[in-house]
């Protein structure tokens, strides 16, 4: 039995999310089905480092899987990418992993980016890949307000009502907002996140960028520890799971 570490990218638009579900296609199911085409007798289970929601994308999702069939890392990557067609999932890298490696529990930091297309003109190529916001946004004000949320806090306000995490307390290591042309980006890093946490933060910061909320309003929403105090929950379109860090 060999354990492998997979680095994966995907366009989340066709999927109900990372996790296998009965309600529609998932990234996890697409990978497991690809494995079964060349290892039909094995009980394949692909474990990801994070469960992205429907419509959320990934540039560097990491997963692990155990395989009895003897294959090199190059052979496995080629087989997976061949059998993943035509799904919008690509295995960027396959590495041999220690038998105890766990993509979920060994992760020490996860990084996300949220992309806003801040322009009047509608999206064409990036439809579903960026959140289209027509109103001009003040990225500097958004960045300043975001710093209220950095550090350890009770993020109940920014947590989906169906979030399954045991505690709403999380430590946000950084939140940076920047503008590049017509794109406003939020970069976020933490050991782990709550369900919809980044989308809730981005939606609230959008109100700041429009001048409807202030930094003080964001602080008050955080301290309310009440989902009803949330300003806005952003759509999944612009959210990307960028990369995962593990101990050396």
């Amino acid at each position: 039995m060999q354990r492998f570490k997979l680095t994966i990218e995907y366009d989340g638009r066709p999927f109900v999310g990372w996790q296998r579900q009965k309600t529609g296609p998932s990234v996890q199911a697409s990978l497991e089905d690809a494995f079964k085409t060349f290892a039909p007798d094995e009980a394949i289970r692909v474990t990801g480092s994070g469960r992205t929601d429907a419509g959320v994308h990934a540039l560097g999702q990491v997963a692990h899987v155990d395989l009895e069939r003897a294959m090199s890392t190059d052979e496995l990557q080629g087989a997976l990418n061949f059998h993943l067609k035509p799904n919008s999932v690509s295995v960027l890298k396959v590495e041999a992993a220690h038998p105890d490696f766990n993509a979920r529990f060994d992760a020490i930091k996860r990084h996300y980016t949220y992309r806003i297309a801040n322009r009047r003109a509608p999206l064409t190529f990036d439809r579903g890949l960026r959140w289209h916001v027509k109103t001009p946004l003040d990225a500097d004000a958004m960045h300043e307000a975001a710093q209220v949320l950095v550090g350890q806090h009770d993020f109940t306000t920014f947590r989906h009502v169906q979030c399954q995490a045991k505690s709403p307390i999380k430590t946000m290591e950084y939140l940076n907002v920047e503008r590049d042309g017509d794109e406003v980006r939020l970069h976020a890093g933490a050991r782990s996140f709550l369900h919809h946490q980044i989308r809730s933060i981005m939606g609230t910061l959008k109100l700041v960028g429009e001048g409807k909320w202030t930094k003080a309003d964001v602080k008050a929403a955080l301290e309310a520890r009440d989902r009803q105090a949330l300003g806005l929950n952003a759509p999944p379109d612009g959210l990307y799971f960028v990369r995962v860090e593990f101990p050396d």
Side-chain angles (χ1 to χ4, degrees):
M1 181 75 74
Q2 171 67 59
R3 178 158 292 190
F4 292 96
K5 174 185 176 184
L6 313 176
T7 303
I8 308 154
E9 72 174 16
Y10 49 85
D11 176 347
R13 287 175 291 182
F15 300 108
V16 294
W18 164 266
Q19 190 173 10
R20 180 185 283 273
Q21 300 178 45
K22 296 180 180 179
T23 55
S26 69
V27 181
Q28 182 186 37
S30 297
L31 286 160
E32 291 175 350
D33 291 346
F35 268 104
K36 289 176 183 177
T37 59
F38 55 86
D41 298 325
E42 298 190 37
I44 299 296
R45 177 73 175 182
V46 178
T47 301
S49 59
R51 297 177 180 177
T52 52
D53 294 330
V56 176
H57 320 292
L59 303 177
Q61 167 75 279
V62 174
H64 77 259
V65 65
D66 294 326
L67 190 66
E68 294 180 10
R69 177 177 174 175
M71 298 183 75
S72 70
T73 54
D74 285 346
E75 288 174 331
L76 182 54
Q77 182 184 12
L80 285 172
N81 284 329
F82 178 81
H83 292 291
L84 278 166
K85 300 174 184 177
N87 295 301
S88 56
V89 182
S90 178
V91 178
L92 303 178
K93 189 176 183 180
V94 176
E95 302 169 81
H98 189 278
D100 294 332
F101 170 74
N102 189 294
R104 181 181 176 189
F105 296 115
D106 289 349
I108 58 174
K109 190 184 295 187
R110 295 165 173 85
H111 302 266
Y112 281 84
T113 291
Y114 195 104
R115 302 171 61 202
I116 289 179
N118 190 207
R119 69 187 203 189
R120 289 184 60 191
L123 298 180
T124 52
F125 298 108
D126 281 352
R127 188 178 300 159
L129 299 175
R130 295 195 290 173
W131 182 18
H132 183 208
V133 176
K134 297 180 182 180
T135 308
L137 298 176
D138 184 339
D140 291 336
M142 294 168 68
H143 175 78
E144 183 179 352
Q147 304 320 298
V148 170
L149 306 174
V150 174
Q152 186 179 81
H153 303 285
D154 181 330
F155 282 97
T156 296
T157 300
F158 300 89
R159 177 190 194 186
H160 193 278
V161 292
Q162 296 179 350
C163 179
Q164 297 178 357
K166 294 180 180 180
S167 170
I169 298 175
K170 294 292 179 182
T171 301
M172 191 68 64
E173 297 196 22
Y174 68 86
L175 279 172
N176 298 322
V177 180
E178 63 178 6
R179 174 179 286 279
D180 182 6
D182 72 358
E183 182 162 296
V184 175
R185 303 189 195 106
L186 168 69
H187 303 289
R191 185 181 186 94
S192 61
F193 293 87
L194 299 167
H195 191 192
H196 280 198
Q197 186 176 1
I198 298 300
R199 289 170 57 184
S200 298
I201 290 173
M202 186 73 256
T204 298
L205 293 179
K206 180 239 187 192
L207 297 178
V208 174
E210 293 175 324
K212 297 177 180 177
W213 274 39
T214 65
K215 181 177 180 179
D217 292 324
V218 176
K219 187 173 187 293
L222 174 68
E223 293 175 347
R225 300 179 180 87
D226 182 355
R227 183 69 175 174
Q228 297 301 314
L230 178 69
L232 180 67
N233 195 46
D237 304 29
L239 184 56
Y240 292 76
F241 189 3
V242 177
R243 63 188 176 95
V244 190
E245 289 185 39
F246 297 94
D248 293 335

